[in-house]
Amino acid sequence: QIRPHKDKLGLLLWCCPGAEGFNDAFEQLYLENRDIVKGLKVHPGISGVAFDDDRMIPYLEMARKYDLPVLTHTADDPCSKISCVCNMAEKFPDVKIILGHLCLGALKDESFDAMEKYPNLYGDTAWVTMNFTADGCNRGLEDKILFGTDGPIGNIHTCGNEKFYGPYHRGEVLSKEAWEKVMFRNAIGLFKLDL
């Protein structure tokens, strides 16, 4: 369903380090669909494999090889901790890693501290309030926050959720420049979108 609309849509390949593990077929899947694949996605909690587990290394090597960003679920659980992501951000400084929903809006300082420390770490606003995002922008991170990269986190209606997304849609709280960066300019650059 993506390809007919590839001028507006792209997808992230789902990494399965626990069940299947990395193999040549995964890389081939990317090569056959590189016109629509914009990055990789991993959910350490679902896979049961911590982001800094050695089983993640082949995926990060592939991301480096093809200059693909990696979106990872982050939360305060053993596999999805910000510290796990930081370990890999240090080992793979040339791979751009997105902190999916910035630890679900918890551990704000830890998320933002990590983004400040590692140039290759970015943040995602899915299930993150505008005030939380504004705090990050006020810390000088407006070039590293992306609106709703992990948008389908709830269901098809997630982006219509007034609590989380109403202020984003109305352009409240942030300056016009910061709002444009968060809402679309940062994503255009990170995902190399040809718009």
Side-chain angles (χ1 to χ4, degrees):
Q1 300 300 333
I2 298 283
R3 190 162 275 113
H5 308 285
K6 65 182 182 179
D7 59 324
K8 295 184 176 99
L9 299 173
L11 60 86
L12 306 180
L13 283 184
W14 187 271
C15 305
C16 300
E20 300 167 12
F22 185 86
N23 56 40
D24 291 340
F26 184 81
E27 186 170 1
Q28 189 60 36
L29 180 64
Y30 164 69
L31 293 172
E32 291 170 3
N33 295 283
R34 63 191 314 169
D35 61 323
I36 56 173
V37 174
K38 303 300 179 186
L40 305 180
K41 163 74 192 260
V42 63
H43 193 302
I46 290 176
S47 68
V49 175
F51 193 78
D52 58 355
D53 186 286
D54 284 350
R55 289 173 283 181
M56 279 300 304
I57 290 175
Y59 294 102
L60 292 165
E61 288 174 340
M62 178 180 154
R64 177 171 50 203
K65 179 177 179 180
Y66 297 109
D67 193 22
L68 296 170
V70 177
L71 171 66
T72 181
H73 168 81
T74 56
D76 192 19
D77 71 60
C79 293
S80 310
K81 288 179 178 282
I82 296 292
S83 59
C84 295
V85 182
C86 289
N87 290 338
M88 286 308 211
E90 199 163 303
K91 289 181 183 176
F92 291 88
D94 48 355
V95 174
K96 295 174 178 76
I97 302 169
I98 306 164
L99 305 173
H101 35 266
L102 290 161
C103 243
L104 298 171
L107 307 174
K108 176 169 54 175
D109 288 335
E110 186 177 353
S111 298
F112 292 153
D113 288 350
M115 290 169 62
E116 287 174 344
K117 181 174 181 179
Y118 298 100
N120 57 329
L121 286 187
Y122 295 78
D124 158 75
T125 66
W127 279 7
V128 174
T129 66
M130 176 63 99
N131 288 336
F132 187 105
T133 297
D135 288 346
C137 290
N138 290 336
R139 287 179 64 163
L141 296 169
E142 69 271 6
D143 293 322
K144 299 181 80 179
I145 299 174
L146 299 97
F147 174 77
T149 312
D150 201 17
I153 184 173
N155 58 43
I156 195 170
H157 305 292
T158 298
C159 285
N161 183 309
E162 175 61 26
K163 174 185 172 187
F164 289 104
Y165 298 114
Y168 288 101
H169 298 316
R170 292 189 298 273
E172 297 174 357
V173 182
L174 299 179
S175 70
K176 182 175 189 262
E177 181 183 10
W179 182 84
E180 287 183 354
K181 287 179 179 181
V182 168
M183 295 301 289
F184 61 92
R185 294 196 189 285
N186 294 341
I188 289 170
L190 188 66
F191 293 106
K192 300 185 291 284
L193 303 177
D194 185 19
L195 301 175

